[in-house]
Amino acid sequence: MKNSKFLIAALVLVTVAGLAVAQKVSIDFRFNTEAADAKNHFNWSANGTSVKDGFDAATGASKAQSTTAFNVVRYDNEATKKNAVPAGLRALVLYPVSSWDTATNDNFTVTANGKQLVIRFVHRGTAYQIVTDNKGKIDTDDSFKIATGIADNIGGKFMIKDEYLKADGNKANMADLDWSKITLVDDEAAEDATVDYDGELTASLKKGILTIKGNLKAD
């Protein structure tokens, strides 16, 4: 059975990697922001190929290898590898297919003001912020912000730089990043990408469960 799972994942990866530019991308995301949850999933489709993915505790990886397979959406093409979506979108959708420790270490948080959500996390020295409108809509054009280089990689461990650390904070703890000290800039598809995906996704937070659904279209 385990070998069958790996074979299916490999076939999905090969199939998706060989796709031409997708005209439409569909996303169905579920992530428990409060605890490890076997119901977490990242299901998506492009060019008629559907991928149903989640975290495989036995292997410590995603069941359908979306970490790599989603590159068909992440990049404009395999040769140039220009971002076709905001970097924060690709980083966000991988949390349901990663271990709970990843979200904990990255200080993944969601705060709500009515239907408006603010999603923040820090992954491998980069801070990401995603803010919906007051109806819970995530727009690929203006909802994403990013700040790079806010931590140093020291022996494989990321340490927050002194200038961005909370007073008396722990450099190794991403929860001790002082967001008021960093400069967030727009996070969008690369200007010179041969294709980018535009559209809105609908996000909601109920009892700690973050869901994101919708379609993006090639531009």
Side-chain angles (χ1 to χ4, degrees):
M1 181 64 70
K2 185 177 289 185
N3 288 337
S4 296
K5 287 183 179 180
F6 282 119
L7 178 59
I8 292 170
L11 288 174
V12 169
L13 179 59
V14 171
T15 301
V16 175
L19 289 174
V21 172
Q23 295 305 306
K24 185 177 80 171
V25 176
S26 296
I27 289 175
D28 174 7
F29 166 109
R30 178 196 188 275
F31 183 62
N32 188 333
T33 65
E34 297 179 350
D37 190 337
K39 295 181 180 178
N40 288 342
H41 65 250
F42 171 42
N43 300 335
W44 58 281
S45 64
N47 273 356
T49 298
S50 296
V51 178
K52 294 186 176 181
D53 209 351
F55 178 64
D56 187 348
T59 63
S62 64
K63 295 176 181 177
Q65 303 297 309
S66 287
T67 305
T68 302
F70 194 67
N71 283 350
V72 72
V73 177
R74 178 188 186 186
Y75 296 132
D76 58 350
N77 60 70
E78 190 63 25
T80 60
K81 290 189 175 181
K82 302 290 186 180
N83 281 347
V85 294
L89 176 59
R90 189 263 179 174
L92 172 65
V93 299
L94 295 184
Y95 282 98
V97 301
S98 302
S99 69
W100 174 242
D101 286 345
T102 301
T104 301
N105 294 337
D106 292 352
N107 190 40
F108 188 102
T109 63
V110 185
T111 56
N113 179 15
K115 290 186 177 181
Q116 184 181 53
L117 304 180
V118 178
I119 304 167
R120 283 178 167 177
F121 51 92
V122 184
H123 185 67
R124 296 186 63 82
T126 298
Y128 298 91
Q129 176 177 281
I130 304 157
V131 181
T132 76
D133 66 11
N134 58 14
K135 295 181 179 180
K137 300 293 185 181
I138 297 175
D139 192 316
T140 55
D141 287 335
D142 56 25
S143 293
F144 294 83
K145 301 288 185 181
I146 191 171
T148 60
I150 57 91
D152 292 317
N153 185 346
I154 300 176
K157 181 72 174 180
F158 284 87
M159 302 289 181
I160 300 171
K161 294 180 178 178
D162 289 339
E163 59 265 40
Y164 305 129
L165 191 65
K166 291 178 180 178
D168 299 319
N170 178 357
K171 291 183 178 183
N173 185 357
M174 295 304 116
D176 285 340
L177 171 67
D178 188 335
W179 285 78
S180 69
K181 295 179 179 179
I182 66 175
T183 301
L184 291 164
V185 299
D186 291 340
D187 177 15
E188 301 173 318
E191 290 185 3
D192 57 348
T194 56
V195 64
D196 64 85
Y197 295 98
D198 291 328
E200 291 184 338
L201 304 171
T202 300
S204 66
L205 183 70
K206 295 180 180 179
K207 296 181 179 180
I209 306 298
L210 175 65
T211 60
I212 301 172
K213 296 182 179 182
N215 300 318
L216 303 177
K217 293 183 178 181
D219 184 11

